[in-house]
Amino acid sequence: MSTFSRAQVEGKCGPDSCWVIVNNSVYDITTFLADHPGGDDILLEYGGKDITSVLHDPHYHNHSDAAYDVLSEYYQGELVDKEPLMISTTKSAYKKDVRDEQFLDLRKALFPQLWNATYSKAYYLEMIHKPRHVPYCVPYFDNDVLDLLSKTPWYVVPTLWLPFVVFQLWRSVTEMNGSIEVATKGLMAGILFWSLFEYVLHRFLFHLDDFVPDHWFALLLHFTLHGIHHHMPMDRLRLVMPPALTIILSVPVFSLGHALFYPALAHAFIGGVFFGYICYDMIHYYLHHAKVFKFYFRELKRYHIAHHYKNYNLGFGITSKLWDHVFGTVLYMDNEK
């Protein structure tokens, strides 16, 4: 086990080398700066310092067990000149849990490991909700071509689907009984419908944990659909929805739109749903990987990060809390009643 003096740690306080002390243990969080949910500025403010009390300070953010699991990835060693622990805690020792390595080796392709997995559903669900962070995109397939197809950069979503939205609105205006007024009404109705559809998908499909069969193939599907995002929430290339999944989920939207409305309104409605989806994926990526605007988005980011790191059974809204309020699944913060 490596040991360090406080003076050594204090010298590592910049963006190129940022270390911190927690309960007399030393962590190198340099590669985590860009992906810290609260932004890198707060980490750099405390670079080279003992942050034990800060992690428990509700003024900044009272960190959950999941946050300490992520911290364990960066363990370097212990202090030589230790001080008495001022914070009593039931948290782990902040060193990597051997059980994590027994679940998935993030240096190898994930699909073959899940295909050959023998662990139980209970163990699987416990592990996927212990967030991990690595400074690289973990391969999903051994085959390079298949692995490339499993990755979706954020800009693919607006590039691919915004022209489709424009096409649907054009069809709405040019159809019989179509007009700009009809297109506007359909667009607004589609956006509102998407906000509900987003909630339903997240709560009843992506988080169908209790109803997933205790079978390796069911767990593989669950991980591929959403489990991978909860296990590695800061993976930039597996955050927005792949086009193939979008197409599959759009089938009932097309059917519903044309079943309920005449063609001009149906096209605008479908365009609105897809525009709502684009906003959803862009906001989702923005909340995970950007220093967000204080107005509206800072609270939304705080809310969504709490869904990942505090309670994944609540807080299903991404673009808003509207349907969480309607259905009683609001995730309240520590200082809220």
Side-chain angles (χ1 to χ4, degrees):
M1 179 180 63
S2 300
T3 56
F4 306 91
S5 68
R6 287 187 179 272
Q8 286 178 293
V9 177
E10 289 169 358
K12 298 180 181 295
C13 56
D16 296 326
S17 183
C18 186
W19 291 26
V20 294
I21 300 167
V22 180
N23 279 349
N24 292 321
S25 296
V26 178
Y27 301 88
D28 179 0
I29 58 172
T30 309
T31 57
F32 185 60
L33 292 175
D35 286 331
H36 179 238
D40 61 353
D41 51 346
I42 187 68
L43 295 183
L44 290 171
E45 180 182 345
Y46 287 96
K49 300 176 183 178
D50 190 324
I51 62 170
T52 306
S53 61
V54 176
L55 293 178
H56 293 78
D57 187 346
H59 173 72
Y60 289 102
H61 177 57
N62 193 3
H63 289 71
S64 65
D65 286 338
Y68 290 93
D69 289 334
V70 172
L71 181 63
S72 70
E73 302 281 345
Y74 306 103
Y75 177 74
Q76 298 296 309
E78 299 292 316
L79 280 179
V80 175
D81 43 345
K82 295 185 177 184
E83 294 182 353
L85 299 183
M86 302 302 294
I87 302 292
S88 61
T89 179
T90 58
K91 310 284 188 190
S92 66
Y94 319 138
K95 305 173 184 65
K96 191 183 298 296
D97 190 337
V98 174
R99 295 185 72 197
D100 293 350
E101 297 293 347
Q102 295 171 346
F103 176 52
L104 289 173
D105 187 341
L106 301 188
R107 297 161 297 184
K108 300 177 181 178
L110 301 177
F111 183 85
Q113 297 182 67
L114 291 159
W115 184 272
N116 296 303
T118 58
Y119 37 70
S120 68
K121 169 187 169 180
Y123 177 77
Y124 163 81
L125 291 176
E126 177 190 353
M127 289 296 103
I128 65 163
H129 292 299
K130 296 178 66 175
R132 302 282 300 278
H133 178 270
V134 290
Y136 55 86
C137 184
V138 178
Y140 195 68
F141 295 103
D142 283 322
N143 182 277
D144 291 340
V145 175
L146 289 177
D147 193 55
L148 181 64
L149 294 175
S150 75
K151 303 171 183 176
T152 309
W154 69 268
Y155 53 81
V156 168
V157 173
T159 301
L160 187 62
W161 298 117
L162 273 178
F164 179 76
V165 171
V166 173
F167 173 73
Q168 290 296 321
L169 293 176
W170 174 79
R171 288 290 304 272
S172 174
V173 173
T174 57
E175 282 280 355
M176 183 180 298
N177 298 320
S179 66
I180 293 178
E181 181 182 358
V182 169
T184 302
K185 290 180 179 178
L187 179 71
M188 294 298 103
I191 293 173
L192 180 62
F193 173 81
W194 169 263
S195 70
L196 175 60
F197 194 47
E198 163 198 321
Y199 176 88
V200 171
L201 283 176
H202 195 188
R203 181 178 178 183
F204 296 110
L205 179 61
F206 296 163
H207 281 272
L208 201 66
D209 296 4
D210 292 341
F211 300 98
V212 175
D214 194 350
H215 186 276
W216 69 268
F217 189 70
L219 301 183
L220 172 63
L221 291 178
H222 182 274
F223 187 84
T224 303
L225 188 63
H226 196 60
I228 188 172
H229 177 54
H230 269 262
H231 194 51
M232 292 176 286
M234 304 308 289
D235 188 332
R236 295 171 181 266
L237 295 177
R238 295 195 179 90
L239 196 155
V240 300
M241 200 177 295
L245 180 58
T246 305
I247 292 171
I248 293 171
L249 294 176
S250 70
V251 172
V253 173
F254 275 89
S255 301
L256 180 67
H258 285 284
L260 293 178
F261 309 118
Y262 57 91
L265 188 57
H267 284 298
F269 174 79
I270 292 168
V273 173
F274 270 82
F275 184 75
Y277 156 66
I278 294 168
C279 293
Y280 154 79
D281 251 349
M282 295 301 92
I283 289 174
H284 192 193
Y285 189 92
Y286 180 63
L287 298 180
H288 274 273
H289 294 292
K291 186 179 295 184
V292 299
F293 291 117
K294 292 183 179 180
F295 174 74
Y296 186 69
F297 292 105
R298 184 166 69 175
E299 171 57 26
L300 202 60
K301 176 168 184 169
R302 182 168 169 257
Y303 187 72
H304 183 60
I305 293 304
H307 168 75
H308 277 282
Y309 290 90
K310 280 187 175 287
N311 189 345
Y312 57 85
N313 289 314
L314 295 172
F316 299 104
I318 305 295
T319 55
S320 80
K321 302 180 185 179
L322 171 63
W323 298 108
D324 278 320
H325 282 287
V326 171
F327 294 110
T329 55
V330 175
L331 174 54
Y332 292 102
M333 304 295 112
D334 296 334
N335 59 345
E336 295 175 341
K337 295 182 179 179

